[in-house]
């Protein structure tokens, strides 16, 4: 009888290892085998879902709605009670999608200084200097920082004040601006002065008559430090506690918790190198740059602590960054790097030689999470070919496929991997 060869636990390719030295269960060449249970089960045939214009190369599923953009984009459901999607795009201003309509995310701070005049007989013994300011508000419950304050005017009990010089038109069309809020200053017993809410008026109103006897001051303003979102914000990601993060150049930005329209300058931090992309996991944020990466941790934007990773692992492809849940994986000049709360390390050193890695054109990698695997498209001839890296075992391996495309989407809700190709979209299972 011929000898019986028994192989258990099939694995994929390890291109770095010469065939003679491969473990018995590893392949010299493997195309289209799932290899997720140790057997040789094939991937299912791709199922066409939808076609997109040829210029679109970023796709996203928001509920039951398919969305696409031309160029790099990052979409994040908002940390708000209503259904809103926030999107940052390369070369364009951030937007929010509300009830199926794209709207500007930027809500500009008022620039018009109001003019306050006092009506009535002033009691000089009780007179005090007061100022007025105002803010824009939207039907979504958003509010801006206050306008420049009016010049101080003397006021005493029994007098009223007329606030004038308010603009009659909203500064941004299609932004759901619904009104203005009027604020007046008051000095407390401790000697500190703050702005206090007076009234909300229509967005088109240009004057307001304030009678403190019938409309007393209410709560202190909560939006003093609210700045509009940076016009060129990129790399939007969501963190716990209602925090969203993004970047511009070397600066890292955080929104006010649960207020995605407000990005206070005071929360921003500056890196030594230009930021390429971000990945959030737990209460940590990986900031991947053209130089050394950073880990930023904290429960509130005002308390974020930044730590630079000592290993020189620059990120060379933003669209190759994948949040794996427990950590992030991204392409560097030396291979795939995994960065997590405990630091960063090269996880592909056993898979490719430096030359083999460079031959994959890692600068052009586009990737997504597929279960526990890092799925990536890499140039192969005139198109990009889909491969996967499995790091769950003691020996990582590559799972090549015959599928080709130009963009990937890992869909967490269904666990599916969508590929955007010339014909449209295919779902892997």
């Amino acid at each position: 009888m011929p000898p019986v060869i028994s192989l258990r636990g099939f694995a994929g390719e390890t291109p770095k290892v010469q065939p003679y030295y491969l473990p018995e269960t590893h392949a010299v060449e493997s195309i289209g085998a799932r290899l997720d249970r140790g057997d040789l089960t094939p991937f299912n045939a791709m199922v066409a879902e939808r076609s997109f214009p040829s210029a679109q190369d970023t796709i996203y599923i928001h509920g039951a709605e398919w969305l696409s953009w031309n160029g790099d984009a990052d979409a994040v459901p908002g940390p708000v009670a209503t259904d809103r999607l926030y999107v940052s795009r390369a070369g364009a201003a951030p937007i929010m999608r509300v009830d199926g309509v794209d709207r500007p995310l930027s809500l500009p701070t008022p620039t018009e200084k109001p003019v306050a005049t006092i009506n009535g007989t002033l009691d000089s013994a009780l007179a005090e200097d007061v100022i007025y300011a105002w803010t824009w508000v939207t039907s979504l419950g958003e509010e801006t920082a206050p306008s420049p304050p009016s010049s101080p005017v003397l006021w005493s009990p029994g007098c009223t004040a007329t606030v004038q010089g308010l603009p009659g038109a909203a500064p941004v069309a299609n932004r759901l601006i619904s009104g203005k809020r009027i604020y007046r200053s008051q000095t407390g017993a401790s000697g500190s002065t703050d702005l206090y809410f007076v009234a909300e008026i229509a967005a088109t109103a240009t004057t307001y008559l304030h009678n403190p006897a019938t409309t007393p001051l209410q709560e202190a303003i909560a939006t003093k430090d609210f700045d509009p979102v940076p016009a060129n914000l990129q790399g939007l990601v969501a963190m716990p506690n209602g925090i969203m993060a993004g970047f511009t150049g070397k600066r890292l930005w955080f929104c006010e918790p649960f207020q995605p329209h407000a990005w206070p300058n005071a929360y921003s931090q500056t890196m030594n190198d230009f930021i390429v992309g971000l990945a959030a996991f737990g209460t940590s944020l990986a900031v991947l740059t053209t130089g050394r990466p950073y880990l930023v941790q904290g429960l509130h934007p005002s308390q974020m602590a930044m730590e630079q990773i000592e290993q020189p692992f620059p990120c060379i492809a933003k669209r190759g960054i994948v949040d794996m849940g427990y950590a992030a994986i991204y392409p560097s000049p030396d291979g795939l790097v995994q960065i997590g709360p405990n630091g960063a390390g090269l996880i592909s050193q056993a898979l490719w030689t430096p030359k083999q890695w460079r031959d994959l054109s890692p600068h052009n990698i586009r990737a997504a999470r597929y279960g526990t695997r890092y799925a990536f498209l890499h140039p192969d001839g005139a198109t990009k070919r889909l491969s996967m890296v499995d790091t769950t075992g003691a020996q990582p391996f590559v799972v090549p496929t015959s599928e080709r495309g130009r963009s990937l989407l890992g869909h967490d809700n269904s666990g599916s991997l969508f590929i955007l190709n010339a014909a449209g979209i295919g779902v892997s299972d």
Side-chain angles (χ1 to χ4, degrees), residues 107-110 134-137 142-146 221 223-224 226 261:
L107 187 59
T109 300
W134 62 279
T135 64
W136 290 114
V137 292
E142 303 161 307
E143 184 176 5
T144 67
I221 191 170
T223 64
K224 277 192 303 184
F226 283 15
H261 72 286

Side-chain angles (χ1 to χ4, degrees), residues 29-193:
E29 184 176 7
S30 171
I31 302 292
R34 297 183 72 95
L35 302 176
D36 55 358
R37 297 190 302 172
D39 59 8
L40 294 177
T41 304
F43 285 101
N44 293 341
M46 303 296 285
V47 178
E49 291 283 340
R50 184 183 177 116
S51 295
F52 285 97
S54 58
Q56 307 297 292
D57 63 356
T58 299
I59 56 176
Y60 186 79
I61 303 175
H62 182 54
E65 183 182 23
W66 283 92
L67 302 172
S68 66
W69 299 275
N70 182 7
D72 181 41
D74 295 280
V76 178
V80 292
T82 55
D83 182 22
R84 292 181 226 161
L85 185 71
Y86 294 82
V87 183
S88 61
R89 302 165 295 166
I95 60 173
M96 61 177 180
R97 191 166 180 83
V98 183
D99 296 329
V101 178
D102 290 342
R103 302 181 185 276
L105 176 54
S106 179
L107 187 59
T109 300
T111 57
E112 294 86 349
K113 178 179 178 179
V115 176
T117 55
I118 301 302
N119 313 306
T121 302
L122 193 69
D123 185 338
S124 58
L126 299 176
E128 60 176 306
D129 277 330
V130 298
I131 59 174
Y132 281 84
W134 62 279
T135 64
W136 290 114
V137 292
T138 74
S139 59
L140 302 177
E142 303 161 307
E143 184 176 5
T144 67
S147 68
S150 68
S151 298
V153 289
L154 278 174
W155 170 88
S156 64
C159 294
T160 62
T162 300
V163 183
Q164 305 176 77
L166 308 178
V172 180
N174 197 32
R175 192 53 184 83
L176 300 177
I177 292 176
S178 58
K180 304 181 182 81
R181 287 182 180 166
I182 307 297
Y183 289 86
R184 201 204 78 174
S185 66
Q186 180 169 278
T187 302
S190 64
S192 63
T193 301

Side-chain angles (χ1 to χ4, degrees), residues 16 291-293 311-317 330-338 345-360 362-363 365:
K16 182 178 181 179
R292 299 179 189 273
Q311 294 93 331
F313 288 143
C315 179
I316 58 175
Y330 67 92
S332 78
D334 300 316
L336 289 177
V337 176
Q338 179 172 292
L346 199 64
I347 62 170
S348 64
Q349 197 164 8
L351 293 176
W352 296 287
T353 66
K355 182 181 184 306
Q356 287 172 327
W357 175 246
R358 290 193 298 270
D359 288 344
L360 293 176
H363 288 83
I365 280 178

Side-chain angles (χ1 to χ4, degrees), residues 203-230:
T204 55
T206 58
T207 63
Y208 174 72
L209 178 63
H210 179 209
N211 184 353
T214 57
T215 308
L217 304 185
Q218 300 180 51
E219 72 275 6
I221 191 170
T223 64
K224 277 192 303 184
D225 300 320
F226 283 15
D227 293 300
V229 62

Side-chain angles (χ1 to χ4, degrees), residues 156-379:
S156 64
C159 294
T160 62
T162 300
V163 183
Q164 305 176 77
L166 308 178
V172 180
N174 197 32
R175 192 53 184 83
L176 300 177
I177 292 176
S178 58
K180 304 181 182 81
R181 287 182 180 166
I182 307 297
Y183 289 86
R184 201 204 78 174
S185 66
Q186 180 169 278
T187 302
S190 64
S192 63
T193 301
D194 208 344
L195 291 171
Y196 292 85
F197 176 68
V198 173
E200 183 170 329
I201 61 177
T204 55
T206 58
T207 63
Y208 174 72
L209 178 63
H210 179 209
N211 184 353
T214 57
T215 308
L217 304 185
Q218 300 180 51
E219 72 275 6
I221 191 170
T223 64
K224 277 192 303 184
D225 300 320
F226 283 15
D227 293 300
V229 62
N232 56 342
L233 188 78
Q234 296 184 53
L236 201 61
V237 296
M239 299 180 67
N241 302 318
I243 303 171
M244 299 173 76
F247 69 90
T248 60
K250 296 183 179 182
R251 289 186 80 178
L252 175 66
W253 298 84
F254 297 97
C255 78
E256 185 71 22
F258 303 102
Q259 301 282 346
H261 72 286
W263 295 75
N265 286 320
Y267 295 160
S268 68
Q269 300 191 33
T270 303
M271 312 294 129
N272 290 338
D273 300 288
F274 286 98
I275 300 172
V276 178
L278 309 174
F281 37 86
T283 57
S284 299
L285 179 69
V287 183
L288 311 176
T289 75
T290 56
R292 299 179 189 273
Y294 294 79
L295 278 177
V296 180
Q297 295 177 306
L299 299 176
H300 190 276
S302 64
Q303 302 167 346
M304 292 292 179
M306 181 172 65
E307 175 190 1
Q308 187 181 50
I309 303 298
E310 289 305 313
Q311 294 93 331
F313 288 143
C315 179
I316 58 175
K318 176 183 179 296
R319 298 183 72 169
I321 302 169
V322 176
D323 176 8
M324 301 298 291
Y326 55 90
I329 297 177
Y330 67 92
S332 78
D334 300 316
L336 289 177
V337 176
Q338 179 172 292
I339 184 169
N342 298 320
L346 199 64
I347 62 170
S348 64
Q349 197 164 8
L351 293 176
W352 296 287
T353 66
K355 182 181 184 306
Q356 287 172 327
W357 175 246
R358 290 193 298 270
D359 288 344
L360 293 176
S361 298
H363 288 83
N364 296 311
I365 280 178
R366 298 185 178 184
R369 182 169 68 89
Y370 183 45
T372 58
R373 291 175 170 175
Y374 177 87
F376 66 105
L377 291 167
H378 56 93

